Amino acid sequence: MSNSTSNMPSTTQRLPPQSHQTAYVLPLFLRRLMTNRLAVISLIGVILLILIAAFGPMVYTASPITPDYKAINQSPSAEHWLGTDNLGRDTLARLIYGLRVSLIVAFYVELLNISLGATLGLLAGYFGGLLDVIVTRIADILFAFPGLLLAILVAATFGPAVTEQFGGIGRLLLVTGSLSLVSWPLMARLVRSQTLSIKEQEFVTAARSLGATDSRIMLTYILPNVAGIILVSSTLDIASVVVNEAVLSLLGLGIQPPDPSIGKMITDATPFLDANPLQVLFPSLALMLIVLSVSFLGDGLRDATDPQSLM
Amino acid sequence: MTRVILRRLFSLPFVILSITIITFLVGYLAPGDPILSMMGSRRDPVTYERLRHLYGLDLPWYEQYVDYASGLLQGDLGLSYRYQGRPVWDLIGNGVFVSVQLGLAALILSLAIGIPVGLWSAIRQNSLWDRAGMTTMLTLYAVPSFVLIPILRWINYQFYIHGLPSLPQAGWGRPEHWVMPVFVLSAASMGYIARLTRVSMLEVLKQDYLRTARAKGLRNRRIRWNHAFRNALIPVVTVVSPSIAFLVTGTFVVETLFSIPGIGYLSVQSIAQRDYPVIQSTTVLLAVAVLLMNLVTDLLYMLLDPRIRVEA
């Protein structure tokens, strides 16, 4: 019901179609998201994590890398808010930088997923034919590698040379690239199947009979309808990307020491579990916080963008 | 149905071929000269050429691939870079055996716990048992293995300092070494299987034929086990494939963190020594093994579910 009333003005005021989409659908979907308490809390959590990663080092100035051998495995104190690790490095500072790494990797992986996976999926679904065959085949082949296997292979083989040539930034990009190698096929597949069903609908036929070009149909008629799926699946995918980055780093294939990564922090502190369990607890909690808030936000977005739950 | 099976069997070689091509290309494109780094400071052109020839690196890339692929067909995984002239199989052969044991144990454990927990939760829907069981299973599914391991170790350590029976922290060989790694490795798929079994059983319990069975006066037990259970298990067969994918990534983490000399641990170690043929072989072996297991589960699914058989 609320849907029909909110769409009403667009017909009476004769707004152009584009402003119809931005002015009415977007607030509706945001309004629906705001009614989901868990999603709102998660959204606040995600924003907070981003703020901490961006501005944390300005407020909390301890070095994440310099060891202090006089302060090893300390408990939380005024000087070291979350204590220190087995080399006397400040845990909170390392966590903030580790969070930065996680979020940057997640951001770039999703950027690649959307620009490569979603675009290829849209084009393949819309045009079909040879392009579709090629995209689907490549996705199938990449799917044949179970789990993180392909990412492990690529990160392992190119890792040392990339680090020698480009240092830490290069390594970060390699981790990003190898992780998106295992996640873009899924995005392409999702967008493709959604495009396949949308392009058969009447409004697309109507647009085509009015003389709309392929690019116009894709951008103004199909894209808004797959945007929800892209948004939801890339949000949910962030959770697995964060965990996968941690796995690569703890296997020694991701972020290289002494640069902090949350996954490496957990496993590095595990041997000192008896002396200082907090050093395992804090990064584990941080990781679970990211994963849970992103997952709940993704679920909330799915409910908010799902047209079937509009009724 | 035979057509579907034949099509699957027919496409299998092509998928395996693509797996080997990709794996080969990654190794081929790897920067740096493996022979130079193998020789270290003792560089002399004669040995260099001899080694290049031994490893087949003096051939053009397509001949290298043909060599590599025909080697694979004969079960030859190639030569190690780190240990001159030693076949990769010598290095990881035992590891394959260890990993298969570990993976099978984890798969069996996740099915043996996941299915009963899921069934009971469905039968006692919304009871305390259902909520507690499903919360536990969701936690096991959501908590990554490298977070689960410190938690278990901490609990184990508390047992140890209080003089209670405790498990070894790491290592491989004795039966007590198995407990923690197998549990951690099975955790994610256990949670996944339990939740899916519950959903599937609930779906079946709603069906009309169960109401008919009840109306006929059949006992609850008989309805559950003879009518519902068997049908609820069919979709569970399909989860085995994603579970195996969980196991593959898990193998690397669990073996590395528990120092278990399986294929994952050995290949991570070989990466540190820049022995790329090992990780290449591991990738091919794992990918093909998973592919074959997926094929088996799909065929099993078709065999179990008459609806699919008819549609196909």
Side-chain angles (χ1 to χ4, degrees):
Chain A
M1 282 306 278
S2 66
N3 181 30
S4 56
T5 45
S6 66
N7 273 343
M8 209 74 106
S10 68
T11 44
T12 47
Q13 293 172 7
R14 292 184 193 284
L15 290 168
Q18 234 140 18
S19 69
H20 158 81
Q21 278 152 8
T22 46
Y24 291 96
V25 176
L26 196 66
L28 175 66
F29 126 77
L30 275 181
R31 235 179 297 147
R32 288 158 52 77
L33 185 69
M34 289 307 153
T35 56
N36 184 338
R37 193 176 296 163
L38 193 58
V40 173
I41 295 172
S42 312
L43 182 62
I44 294 171
V46 170
I47 293 172
L48 271 180
L49 287 171
I50 293 173
L51 289 179
I52 291 172
F55 302 110
M58 294 177 198
V59 181
Y60 191 79
T61 49
S63 162
I65 291 170
T66 324
D68 178 1
Y69 296 114
K70 279 173 270 168
I72 286 172
N73 274 332
Q74 282 193 344
S75 300
S77 62
E79 198 185 346
H80 302 289
W81 291 6
L82 295 181
T84 56
D85 69 2
N86 62 311
L87 295 176
R89 296 174 297 196
D90 188 279
T91 301
L92 180 58
R94 286 181 75 70
L95 259 187
I96 292 171
Y97 276 92
L99 182 66
R100 250 185 193 189
V101 169
S102 299
L103 294 182
I104 289 174
V105 168
F107 175 77
Y108 282 114
V109 169
E110 295 320 322
L111 198 68
L112 271 174
N113 264 350
I114 293 171
S115 55
L116 184 74
T119 310
L120 282 179
L122 184 66
L123 291 173
Y126 183 75
F127 287 113
L130 186 65
L131 180 72
D132 188 28
V133 172
I134 293 171
V135 171
T136 332
R137 278 290 162 272
I138 293 177
D140 283 348
I141 290 167
L142 294 181
F143 264 123
F145 292 91
L148 271 184
L149 201 53
L150 193 59
I152 290 175
L153 176 71
V154 171
T157 323
F158 294 98
V162 165
T163 312
E164 271 164 31
Q165 290 261 305
F166 306 103
I169 297 292
R171 198 70 186 214
L172 198 71
L173 291 179
L174 178 69
V175 170
T176 307
S178 44
L179 286 180
S180 56
L181 212 52
V182 296
S183 66
W184 80 258
L186 190 67
M187 177 67 93
R189 201 178 259 193
L190 278 174
V191 173
R192 175 183 170 271
S193 65
Q194 184 81 356
T195 307
L196 278 180
S197 75
I198 287 170
K199 79 167 181 184
E200 298 302 330
Q201 290 185 13
E202 276 93 0
F203 68 95
V204 176
T205 320
R208 191 172 294 127
S209 63
L210 286 173
T213 56
D214 285 336
S215 58
R216 185 175 162 81
I217 292 176
M218 275 192 281
L219 288 176
T220 48
Y221 293 88
I222 296 182
L223 187 61
N225 287 296
V226 294
I229 266 198
I230 296 174
L231 182 68
V232 170
S233 65
S234 50
T235 309
L236 288 173
D237 192 51
I238 290 175
S240 50
V241 170
V242 167
V243 172
N244 289 345
E245 183 272 313
V247 167
L248 279 189
S249 296
L250 72 87
L251 290 178
L253 310 175
I255 307 305
Q256 296 297 300
D259 292 344
S261 150
I262 295 182
K264 193 95 179 96
M265 284 177 74
I266 297 173
T267 41
D268 281 351
T270 305
F272 307 95
L273 203 55
D274 44 341
N276 201 348
L278 292 180
Q279 297 311 313
V280 177
L281 183 70
F282 290 133
S284 305
L285 283 181
L287 185 92
M288 293 316 288
L289 200 66
I290 306 175
V291 169
L292 287 181
S293 51
V294 170
S295 306
F296 287 136
L297 180 63
D299 284 343
L301 285 173
R302 173 160 50 201
D303 293 342
T305 52
D306 184 6
Q308 287 193 324
S309 62
L310 269 174
M311 307 306 157
Chain B
M1 177 172 143
T2 359
R3 270 225 334 259
V4 179
I5 295 176
L6 279 180
R7 204 190 301 152
R8 282 293 299 268
L9 288 178
F10 183 70
S11 72
L12 192 69
F14 293 100
V15 182
I16 294 180
L17 193 71
S18 339
I19 288 175
T20 59
I21 289 177
I22 289 186
T23 320
F24 169 78
L25 278 182
V26 171
Y28 182 78
L29 294 173
D33 187 337
I35 307 293
L36 271 185
S37 56
M38 191 191 301
M39 292 173 67
S41 53
R42 300 166 286 124
R43 287 190 187 161
D44 91 85
V46 181
T47 326
Y48 179 80
E49 284 309 321
R50 195 178 57 78
L51 280 173
R52 253 175 84 87
H53 185 68
L54 176 69
Y55 281 85
L57 294 174
D58 50 348
L59 300 170
W61 67 271
Y62 48 88
E63 284 185 36
Q64 283 189 37
Y65 174 73
V66 171
D67 273 4
Y68 170 73
S70 58
L72 281 179
L73 273 180
Q74 297 160 28
D76 174 13
L77 297 173
L79 299 174
S80 157
Y81 283 165
R82 170 80 182 167
Y83 304 97
Q84 276 178 27
R86 256 185 94 180
V88 170
W89 181 255
D90 277 12
L91 300 176
I92 59 170
N94 285 328
V96 172
F97 186 59
V98 170
S99 294
V100 166
Q101 282 180 314
L102 192 66
L104 274 184
L107 190 62
I108 292 169
L109 183 71
S110 55
L111 288 169
I113 296 185
I115 292 177
V117 168
L119 287 179
W120 270 108
S121 290
I123 291 172
R124 306 252 175 274
Q125 195 192 357
N126 295 330
S127 69
L128 188 66
W129 159 263
D130 178 25
R131 298 221 178 102
M134 281 305 115
T135 313
T136 316
M137 288 298 145
L138 182 63
T139 315
L140 285 182
Y141 173 70
V143 175
S145 54
F146 56 91
V147 175
L148 201 58
I149 290 170
I151 297 174
L152 289 183
R153 282 206 171 140
W154 189 79
I155 296 172
N156 189 40
Y157 181 72
Q158 296 307 311
F159 270 70
Y160 174 72
I161 54 173
H162 291 97
L164 295 163
S166 60
L167 297 162
Q169 292 282 45
W172 192 244
R174 282 174 286 133
E176 57 263 38
H177 283 133
W178 284 58
V179 182
M180 279 205 281
V182 170
F183 178 73
V184 173
L185 194 53
S186 66
S189 40
M190 189 190 292
Y192 190 56
I193 289 170
R195 281 151 46 81
L196 192 105
T197 310
R198 177 177 178 273
V199 171
S200 160
M201 184 71 169
L202 284 177
E203 190 60 36
V204 172
L205 286 175
K206 272 194 299 198
Q207 298 292 317
D208 288 343
Y209 64 84
L210 282 195
R211 204 171 358 153
T212 312
R214 195 161 288 131
K216 273 199 315 192
L218 286 187
R219 288 187 183 178
N220 261 340
R221 238 169 89 176
R222 191 155 168 174
I223 295 174
R224 270 175 209 154
W225 299 117
N226 286 26
H227 294 241
F229 174 62
R230 282 164 38 174
N231 288 307
L233 273 195
I234 293 173
V236 177
V237 175
T238 53
V239 222
V240 173
S241 312
S243 302
I244 295 169
F246 284 141
L247 291 182
V248 169
T249 311
T251 300
F252 279 87
V253 176
V254 168
E255 286 177 3
T256 306
L257 296 187
F258 283 108
S259 319
I260 298 168
I263 190 172
Y265 179 62
L266 293 177
S267 36
V268 167
Q269 285 211 315
S270 71
I271 293 162
Q273 297 163 343
R274 302 202 180 185
D275 200 352
Y276 303 130
V278 175
I279 180 74
Q280 263 175 282
S281 310
T282 304
T283 308
V284 170
L285 282 179
L286 284 174
V288 172
V290 169
L291 201 66
L292 293 177
M293 287 187 84
N294 286 348
L295 183 72
V296 172
T297 45
D298 284 0
L299 293 183
L300 203 62
Y301 186 49
M302 276 199 262
L303 218 65
L304 287 176
D305 195 338
R307 285 169 300 183
I308 298 176
R309 231 180 302 162
V310 172
E311 278 165 29

